[in-house]
Amino acid sequence: MRSVTKPVLAGVAFGLFLAALRGHWDDLSRKHESNPFHRDGQSVRDVAGDGHFLAEHDSTGWETKLFSYEKKADATRAKESKDALFHDVDVDVSVDDDATQIDFITGNTGVAVDENSAFFADLENPLQITYPDPFKRFTGCDPEPAMAGLRPRKLDLIAKPDDRNWPKNCEGHAELCAILRKTAINREVLAAVANSGAPGIFEFIDGIVSLGIENFVIIALDDALHDKLKNRKGVASYRVKNDAQGSHKVSAQKFGIVKQFVDRGCSVLLTDTDVAYLRNPFPFLYRDSDVESMSDGWDASSAFGFFETVDDASLGRSLNSGRKHALSFRVAALNSGMWLVMATQASSRLMTTMAHRMATEQNLWDQAGYNLELWFASRDDVRVSGATVRVLHPLCFVNSKVMFRFIRHAPNLRKEKHTPIAMHSNYHTDKAFKMKRVYAYYNGDKSNGVTGIEELAKGCVVGCDSNLKTVARLEKDAKANVNDAIVGSKKWTEGSGGVWGGKQSSQKAGGTDSPQHCAPVEPLNGSGRSAKYEPHRVGRKGIFCEKLETQTESLSEDFFFLASAVCAKLNKLNPNSAELILVTVDGHCARSVTAFTSLLEHGIRRLGLSEKTLVVTNAFAVKKLARDFGVAATVVVTGRDTDADKDATDASKDNTDASKGIPRTSPLRTSITLLKWYVATFMLSDGYDLLVTDPTTVLLKDPSGFFFKDADVQTLSSGWDDTTSYGYDHVVDDPAMDWSRYCHGGRVVASDVAFVRFAATAESVTFASLLARRLRWFLGEEKLVSGEMDSGGNGTTVGSATKPHSMANLDPADASSKKNLTEKQFEQLAFNELLYLPSQGGYVAPGVVKRTLNYLCFANSKTVFRFLRKDGKLKDRKEHTPVAVSFSFHPNEAVARGSSLRRFYVKAEQQALSGWSDGEGRGDQKGENQAKQAFGASCAGDSEQLRDAKKAEPHEEDAHQLGRHFRVHRDWSWGGVTPFAFNANGELKTPWGGGTWGFIESKETEKGEKGATFYAAAIWARFVGATHVLNFEPSEFDEPNFIFVSERCADGDMVVGRVVQ
């Protein structure tokens, strides 16, 4: 009886707690409904009786802060054109403001993989994710329920919901705890950090108080402000001792201060004082992420993030090459003017890191710093907090660019249909004036006759037009900088330091045999990064397979047989391995089988990894091959049209092969890539950490000792230096915004799905299962390529069919918004969307804590062949040998290049890499792997013609298409650098001095022959004593001869250039 009583009592107490919480929210909603800020036709407080909002403070905090030229705006500025474009927004907004609440206490239970049968029921359902675009269809500000099958990461709350001892950790913080007990509602406060010099501080306070927001705290940085607030009703004041002066110094203080609140178990909605509040924000928060923040974005792509293709033309002329393999994640900065910091362990880590950085990095801008910490992964000895991110609704929590350039021009977003929650006046210099216009429009007294949209138009000239452009449109003519400058960048400061332990190590070199070489290291003590997350492990090893029999009703027959086969094979592996290895092999693709044979012989067997490797394939011949090299664990699922008995003579000897039980019509028989991610889900669910790798990967060392233990997912990057692999603060230029034209944001080259290490956590299981389900949706019931099963997961792109796919968050009007993708390309895209895109509306990110592996230790083939083998120091294999190399950038030459790589690093053949070009299409120029496709001119192939080449003459320019082209397009870039020009008479203009250029005689022309023919799309150029061969091709917009790829004949260095408009 006693064992029953405790759960019952606990349940009753928990129910009462939820009822009380719901009552509190209902009370907040009623206050929100009745507050005068929200009701149409009433001013908030007509203090002076003259119909002006908060007129008592105008003389001290508002008009005096306007720029002099803006004070004259009403009388002197021309009205905006009546022909201004309107934004067409589909609006579906309920008049009722009662918000649908997502209770953070009950809504974030995570995924109990070993017990949740609903999880397995979802596992088999195809998943189509359509990311919401509120700029196209606006459905109101109420929190939306999560899309079917999506679950947020469990929040590690500092104060458990049922813990009555709150606030927490009050020793030494008695004053703060007393304020929180009196002020906090639902363990949350709205807080602003300010001193008495903050412009409009009292108008800001009055606005908050008028909304009936009772859990409001001013963090006062001086006695003057604190004393004035002591007896002021509706606001609490928490005095923090410091000597901060100026906006930057004040901002620098807030992270350490917010940490005080968070560590007491109190969530903080942190706000700047230049935010105009129109409604109570608390009913419109989700509370499913560690951080919810406003965005500086102005459309779906900038606010929520998007992926763009990085085109490195030096990697091959064929579109089937790896030249467009790399995707970069782009997103506008999170706006530090308003963000919810949940009282979680991850938030506390984030505040610790940012407080340390602001105290030690003199030139760090607080907003840039916390964006870099939230968007990007851990790397080397830099450990990020792992905080999950949700972007607040950009039409509800509004920046001033959206307010004055979008909402103002959208008839369907007029105040009769929509009132935003708040606006941050961040994009405009006349902050106070813009806030007054917003208050006047949404809360103006109808009796004064000025309540229409003209209130927002008043005095609005700069940054007020309706011609908002997407990032793609703003950067259309800046590809030389945005694309070409980055494809050849080589900033190896962090990466090369990380090879030998990063900042933690005193030994910056020591060679491949050094114990510190590529070894994981802990961050320095006192760096603000020492604390790491506690992973949400799924349970002990074997727990899933033990309980599999209880899931028979949750799993269909085919998925049950697959799971059973995986469990049977797991019994053949070493359970004490640090992680297992999953390799997926298409047995009907010769390239895949050849690559796998090399991986078995030179990687798995040589490194002693046979007892930790599980192979998934669609052919019994691959199983036999694996067994010959000592790999005993292989799961075989043949294609729909394969007769298993004819495929191998020993098919009937092993009843644990999944093919025996999976129906011919099962989707599991349609794709080897799909099969990979379902098997990965089962292995992770059984408690095993897992390395998922393609057979084309070259393993030079056992990777186990080189992984960290502070992330759910560790990935090999598709980047090639610090900037591309680890991310940076990228700036987009929007000239229409004048003073605030430079929009900051994050940019990083995405991760490579060909090499991923998962920890066996609830989030990893969710991640793998979502990827499997998304692939299931993408494939449908049709096969993308002819043959048994698609080989997209193994680097085979030639001949692969494609399907059109709409890219996440991109405007359909942009040409890049819809792409035809192969299965391999979709896998790469979907993987990175799950990894990088934040929660937004009904989309809930899986919330994995991520780490990017060192790009020199876990390298991609571009890093090796374009940079590493030419580096003065690291090209020496005794100085540096990578742990593993992925060949996603060279899919058609992966086998041959992989063989050369092994010969260089394992067999010490010094010249094994020297014959290869940077990109595909030319093969090994020594003759071992000659490619069949024509690439155009080259230094090696046209050396004789180049030796006697003369600069272009006028009559040659007249006759040649490139000569005529240069007359129209004189201005070019060279690796993003300008000016660069092909002038008349073969004269070359470069940033490094003058030079010459000319045409290259075709190989078919006999030496001395009259009427010699030239390459149609190639020239030579000579400057600074070096000769280069330039091959021209169309741009991404199909403009002929708008891009060139230059090969430097001395060392094969490649550079991309293009026409500069």
Side-chain angles (χ1 to χ4, degrees), residues 433-483:
F433 186 73
K434 288 295 187 288
M435 292 172 71
K436 287 189 71 174
R437 299 277 60 78
V438 168
Y439 282 132
Y441 173 59
Y442 287 103
N443 304 295
D445 189 342
K446 291 181 179 178
S447 64
N448 66 18
V450 186
T451 60
I453 196 65
E454 61 269 23
E455 279 289 4
L456 293 182
K458 188 177 180 182
C460 197
V461 174
V462 177
C464 299
D465 68 285
S466 63
N467 188 26
L468 273 174
K469 296 181 179 179
T470 64
V471 171
R473 290 176 62 197
L474 288 170
E475 294 184 338
K476 180 180 182 298
D477 296 329
K479 289 293 183 182
N481 292 320
V482 176
N483 186 87

Side-chain angles (χ1 to χ4, degrees), residues 576-855:
N576 298 318
S577 301
E579 68 277 313
L580 302 182
I581 300 174
L582 174 62
V583 185
T584 311
V585 185
D586 181 1
H588 303 286
C589 171
R591 182 181 298 148
S592 181
V593 174
T594 302
F596 179 56
T597 304
S598 296
L599 177 63
L600 285 170
E601 181 179 0
H602 303 292
I604 292 174
R605 185 172 66 178
R606 180 177 67 86
L607 298 172
L609 307 178
S610 300
E611 292 186 352
K612 59 188 297 184
T613 300
L614 187 146
V615 177
V616 176
T617 182
N618 53 3
F620 282 94
V622 172
K623 176 182 177 180
K624 182 178 184 302
L625 176 65
R627 191 170 55 216
D628 291 343
F629 283 95
V631 177
T634 302
V635 174
V636 182
V637 179
T638 56
R640 288 180 173 178
D641 302 323
T642 301
D643 186 341
D645 293 332
K646 295 180 180 179
D647 198 41
T649 56
D650 64 344
S652 60
K653 296 180 181 179
D654 191 345
N655 293 325
T656 63
D657 282 313
S659 287
K660 290 294 183 179
I662 297 178
R664 293 287 181 189
T665 57
S666 171
L668 295 175
R669 292 184 181 270
T670 63
S671 164
I672 196 74
T673 311
L674 178 67
L675 195 64
K676 168 173 64 175
W677 290 107
Y678 277 121
V679 171
T681 301
F682 294 141
M683 294 176 73
L684 290 168
S685 298
D686 205 40
Y688 287 94
D689 291 356
L690 183 64
L691 171 62
V692 180
T693 186
D694 281 1
T696 53
T697 300
V698 171
L699 293 179
L700 298 170
K701 301 179 181 180
D702 180 353
S704 293
F706 300 96
F707 292 125
F708 288 69
K709 296 180 180 180
D710 59 0
D712 298 309
V713 179
Q714 301 180 56
T715 63
L716 184 150
S717 174
S718 292
W720 44 93
D721 71 342
D722 295 349
T723 302
T724 55
S725 298
Y726 297 159
Y728 69 102
D729 181 13
H730 181 85
V731 177
V732 177
D733 183 10
D734 184 358
M737 293 306 299
D738 192 40
W739 169 79
S740 59
R741 63 186 292 174
Y742 300 111
C743 311
H744 291 259
R747 188 186 190 197
V748 64
V749 170
S751 298
D752 193 343
V753 73
F755 190 94
V756 188
R757 203 269 190 187
F758 291 95
T761 62
E763 290 73 28
S764 291
V765 174
T766 298
F767 188 102
S769 66
L770 289 176
L771 185 52
R773 294 178 60 200
R774 292 201 66 190
L775 279 162
R776 173 89 181 271
W777 165 79
F778 179 74
L779 294 172
E781 293 299 320
E782 300 175 1
K783 289 177 285 187
L784 285 181
V785 295
S786 59
E788 285 297 326
M789 300 172 81
D790 177 48
S791 55
N794 298 303
T796 310
T797 58
V798 177
S800 295
T802 62
K803 280 188 175 182
H805 179 71
S806 296
M807 302 289 284
N809 300 324
L810 289 182
D811 189 337
D814 283 331
S816 59
S817 65
K818 181 166 284 190
K819 295 184 178 181
N820 290 320
L821 302 178
T822 64
E823 180 180 346
K824 174 65 176 176
Q825 291 168 335
F826 179 79
E827 179 195 27
Q828 175 79 1
L829 174 65
F831 175 86
N832 280 285
E833 286 182 356
L834 291 169
L835 197 63
Y836 284 102
L837 290 182
S839 295
Q840 58 185 88
Y843 173 71
V844 180
V848 290
V849 176
K850 54 186 180 288
R851 168 174 281 277
T852 298
L853 296 165
N854 183 281
Y855 57 85

Side-chain angles (χ1 to χ4, degrees), residues 834-877:
L834 291 169
L835 197 63
Y836 284 102
L837 290 182
S839 295
Q840 58 185 88
Y843 173 71
V844 180
V848 290
V849 176
K850 54 186 180 288
R851 168 174 281 277
T852 298
L853 296 165
N854 183 281
Y855 57 85
L856 295 173
C857 297
F858 294 86
N860 58 61
S861 55
K862 172 179 175 175
T863 302
V864 171
F865 284 92
R866 187 166 178 189
F867 299 111
L868 191 61
R869 66 181 175 140
K870 305 172 190 176
D871 185 79
K873 181 178 182 180
L874 297 187
K875 67 180 180 182
D876 183 352
R877 64 182 182 81

